[in-house]
């Protein structure tokens, strides 16, 4: 090979003996409405809490906003062609609640039609449609009335789910009610890192309860209106490991996972919040009305699992924990440790502790890196390595008996990374935010090659 010849791409694929390599396993890419659509004032779209948060000085890195994002609202046809060309089985997207309803809860037909056209084109390309109803963009007018601290928001969410499942009936393969309720509750209402920027553990626990209540009510509407579609929820999960083997540090790691994982899974799969939350956060219990927990614990067709990194913990000397640094480890652009074993550990743990664990889809997994276009190419070898190691971790979990049905890489393309703006790039596809030029990174090309080979084989 001459020195001027391009180096061959490293392969991106699960272990060849894994069920993940067979046709029945679902491979996809994922995005979220606020992160890619832009057009925040088009066709009657209302303001969301993230529009307000972006406009608040100091909340988002570099003062970035979602006003333009990836301009997907205007480029969706070409973007769908790009998704189809990758060869994936499915596309996970979210609907923008502020785009489809007005302040009085009446349908905004122009916004609804945008999603109908998008879903129809995805179907025409042979792609399964995994639709998330809520990926954090709460209409601002609802936040003005208390947001997720107001029980009424759960009922407004159910009305939104009812409307969209009637409008989109037959167009959707799978519905997820919420994306990452832990982030909405804790980052939005507990520490203020995300919109709407409130900071109280008591707020976080009440917001979580209303989010999960809204989920349960929404599932009832989805089942009634579009019974042919799958129904579930997407949650982010955190792996905690103790700094030492001392009982206090082991307990600290357990409390971390209880707060990150069982706070959500307990109500969904056991119909109860973990009792230890009250010792971790005394005096912060939410108001729970009779029948709420039964509504939340609706049967799930699937659980979407999002995983990115682990956290090391030590005891705070009392009833809590302190996060500690792990030195000399590989990290991503976000500063997150690359720890694939955590994904396997979590999946195996959930199966052992929740006998009614539904089938699982890995709905987000990926990494941010400071990717640059050089001579029309983007060399992101770390991302290929990252994904291969996480594919292998899921393959081991499947071998151990966990029912994992699919894997969605986060993300299809670089986009608005919430409080980090446009600096952090998670995409398989590079986006030049000035020109909106899309460039497939090496990871996208390697993923495309694997998917093509799988279909041929």
């Amino acid at each position: 090979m001459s020195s001027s010849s391009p180096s061959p791409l490293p392969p991106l694929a699960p272990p060849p003996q894994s069920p993940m390599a067979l046709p029945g396993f679902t491979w996809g890419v994922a995005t979220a409405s606020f992160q890619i659509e832009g057009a925040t004032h088009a066709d009657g779209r209302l303001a969301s809490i993230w529009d307000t948060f972006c406009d608040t000085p100091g909340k988002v890195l570099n003062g970035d906003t979602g006003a333009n994002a990836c301009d997907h609202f205007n480029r969706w046809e070409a973007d769908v062609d790009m998704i189809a060309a990758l060869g994936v089985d499915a596309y996970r997207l979210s609907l923008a609640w502020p785009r489809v309803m007005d302040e009085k809860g009446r349908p905004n037909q122009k916004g609804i039609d945008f999603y109908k056209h998008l879903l129809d084109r995805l179907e025409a390309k042979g792609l399964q449609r995994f639709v998330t109803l809520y990926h954090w963009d709460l209409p601002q007018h609802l936040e003005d009335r208390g947001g997720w601290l107001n029980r009424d928001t759960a009922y407004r969410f159910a009305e939104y789910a009812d409307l969209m499942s009637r409008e989109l009936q037959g167009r959707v393969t799978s519905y997820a009610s919420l994306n990452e309720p832990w982030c909405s509750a804790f980052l939005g209402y507990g520490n203020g890192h995300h919109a709407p920027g409130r900071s109280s553990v008591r707020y976080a626990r009440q917001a979580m309860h209303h989010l999960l209540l809204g989920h349960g009510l929404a599932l009832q509407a989805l089942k009634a209106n579009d019974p042919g579609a799958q129904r579930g929820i997407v949650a982010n999960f955190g792996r905690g490991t103790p700094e030492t083997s001392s009982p206090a540090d082991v307990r600290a790691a357990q409390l971390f996972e209880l707060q990150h994982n069982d706070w959500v899974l307990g109500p969904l799969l056991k119909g109860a919040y973990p009792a230890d939350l009250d010792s971790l956060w005394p005096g912060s219990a939410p108001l729970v009305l009779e029948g709420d927990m039964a509504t939340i614990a609706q049967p799930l067709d699937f659980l979407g699992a999002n995983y990115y990194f682990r956290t090391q913990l030590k005891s705070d000397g009392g009833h809590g924990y302190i996060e500690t640094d792990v030195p000399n480890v590989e990290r991503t652009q976000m500063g997150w440790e690359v720890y694939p074993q955590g994904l396997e550990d979590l999946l195996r743990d959930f199966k052992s502790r929740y006998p009614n664990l539904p089938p699982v889809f890995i709905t987000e997994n990926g990494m941010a890196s400071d990717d640059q276009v050089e001579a029309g190419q983007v060399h992101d070898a770390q991302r290929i390595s990252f994904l291969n190691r996480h594919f292998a971790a899921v393959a081991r979990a499947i071998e151990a008996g966990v029912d994992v049905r699919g894997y969605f890489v986060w993300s299809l393309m670089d986009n608005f990374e919430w409080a980090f703006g446009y600096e952090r790039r998670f995409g398989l596809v590079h986006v030049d935010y000035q020109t909106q030029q899309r460039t497939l990174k090496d990871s996208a090309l390697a993923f495309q090659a694997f998917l093509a080979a799988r279909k041929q084989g």
Side-chain angles (χ1 to χ4, degrees):
M1 180 182 295
S2 69
S3 60
S4 62
S5 299
S7 300
L9 286 173
L12 176 57
Q17 73 278 11
S18 169
M20 298 169 73
L22 301 177
F25 193 84
T26 299
W27 288 98
V29 288
T31 65
S33 53
F34 190 80
Q35 294 182 268
I36 67 167
E37 285 180 0
T40 51
H41 300 290
D43 291 343
R45 179 191 177 277
L46 304 178
S48 77
I49 56 174
W50 271 95
D51 296 296
T52 303
F53 199 68
C54 289
D55 289 340
T56 305
K59 294 297 186 181
V60 177
L61 192 65
N62 300 320
D64 292 338
T65 76
N68 295 319
C70 304
D71 195 33
H72 175 72
F73 184 81
N74 296 307
R75 300 168 187 265
W76 63 271
E77 292 179 86
D79 285 343
V80 170
D81 292 346
M82 180 176 67
I83 296 166
L86 286 175
V88 294
D89 306 305
Y91 176 48
R92 177 176 173 241
L93 66 147
S94 75
L95 310 180
W97 187 352
R99 202 178 286 286
V100 297
M101 299 179 82
D102 70 10
E103 290 192 25
K104 295 183 178 180
R106 297 173 299 199
N108 175 17
Q109 200 59 49
K110 287 184 177 180
I112 293 170
D113 286 346
F114 168 72
Y115 292 111
K116 286 183 175 180
H117 296 325
L118 174 59
L119 292 167
D120 286 347
R121 189 171 182 88
L122 289 164
E123 183 176 19
K125 295 289 184 178
L127 292 160
Q128 298 173 45
R129 286 81 58 209
F130 281 64
V131 170
T132 303
L133 291 174
Y134 184 69
H135 201 126
W136 306 355
D137 44 1
L138 182 71
Q140 180 61 44
H141 68 89
L142 292 179
E143 179 59 33
D144 292 341
R145 300 204 294 268
W148 290 109
L149 299 179
N150 185 346
R151 184 181 177 93
D152 184 64
T153 300
Y155 298 105
R156 301 291 77 76
F157 179 67
E159 290 176 355
Y160 160 58
D162 177 65
L163 170 67
M164 295 313 295
S165 56
R166 283 187 282 107
E167 290 281 351
L168 303 181
Q169 195 274 333
R171 287 180 162 93
V172 175
T173 308
S174 172
Y175 287 99
S177 56
L178 307 174
N179 177 77
E180 300 185 347
W182 184 92
C183 290
S184 295
F186 193 81
L187 299 183
Y189 292 87
N191 69 8
H193 182 64
H194 280 185
R198 302 191 184 212
S199 302
S200 163
V201 170
R202 183 171 60 85
Y203 286 170
R205 292 192 68 185
Q206 192 64 63
M208 176 67 84
H209 183 66
H210 292 153
L211 282 155
L212 294 179
L213 179 63
H215 151 80
L217 295 168
L219 254 60
Q220 295 173 353
L222 297 175
K223 182 177 181 179
N225 296 335
D226 202 353
Q230 296 285 294
R231 299 172 296 279
I233 189 172
V234 170
N236 59 300
F237 297 115
R239 175 60 172 150
T241 59
E243 184 177 72
T244 73
S245 58
S246 72
D249 285 359
V250 170
R251 175 60 175 163
Q254 291 171 343
L255 286 173
F256 172 88
E257 291 199 359
L258 176 138
Q259 190 257 113
H260 273 73
N261 307 334
D262 300 295
W263 187 17
V264 175
L265 290 182
L268 292 173
L269 300 180
K270 292 185 176 180
Y273 291 106
D276 283 348
L277 279 179
D278 293 327
S279 61
L280 180 64
W281 293 326
S284 64
L287 176 64
V288 178
L289 302 186
E290 184 178 355
D292 283 1
M293 301 313 294
T295 299
I296 291 169
Q298 298 287 312
L300 298 170
D301 295 324
F302 73 93
L303 173 68
N306 297 353
Y307 173 80
Y308 290 98
F309 61 97
R310 72 148 170 181
T311 304
Q312 181 174 273
L313 294 309
K314 70 176 182 180
S315 172
D316 67 356
H319 297 289
Y321 54 77
I322 298 171
E323 297 182 10
T324 62
D325 185 56
V326 183
N328 303 316
V329 294
E330 179 187 355
R331 297 186 182 276
T332 71
Q333 188 191 18
M334 295 292 289
W336 297 343
E337 180 190 0
V338 178
Y339 191 72
Q341 184 62 42
L343 181 52
E344 178 188 352
D345 292 345
L346 287 170
L347 292 171
R348 293 173 67 131
D349 177 62
F350 295 160
K351 176 177 169 56
S352 69
R353 293 192 299 110
Y354 292 98
N356 59 336
L357 182 74
V360 174
F361 286 83
I362 307 302
T363 35
E364 288 183 27
N365 180 239
M367 62 159 285
S369 57
D370 185 16
D371 300 318
Q372 307 293 328
V373 179
E374 300 174 359
Q377 298 178 311
V378 181
H379 303 303
D380 59 340
Q382 187 189 11
R383 181 172 287 105
I384 293 175
S385 174
F386 176 102
L387 289 170
N388 271 329
R389 285 175 282 167
H390 284 81
F391 292 171
V394 173
R396 294 192 298 271
I398 294 173
E399 186 176 352
V402 184
D403 185 5
V404 182
R405 303 281 181 89
Y407 198 117
F408 290 77
V409 177
W410 185 269
S411 173
L412 165 66
M413 55 186 165
D414 298 336
N415 54 54
F416 178 82
E417 182 47 38
W418 306 111
F420 294 100
Y422 294 102
E423 184 181 88
R424 315 294 167 92
R425 294 181 175 272
F426 275 88
L428 294 173
V429 177
H430 181 278
V431 177
D432 182 322
Y433 296 113
Q434 300 302 313
T435 66
Q436 293 297 338
Q437 175 69 37
R438 274 77 158 137
T439 303
L440 271 63
K441 303 177 187 179
D442 284 356
S443 56
L445 297 171
F447 193 35
Q448 184 181 52
F450 154 65
L451 294 167
R454 182 189 67 145
K455 290 177 179 178
Q456 292 172 359

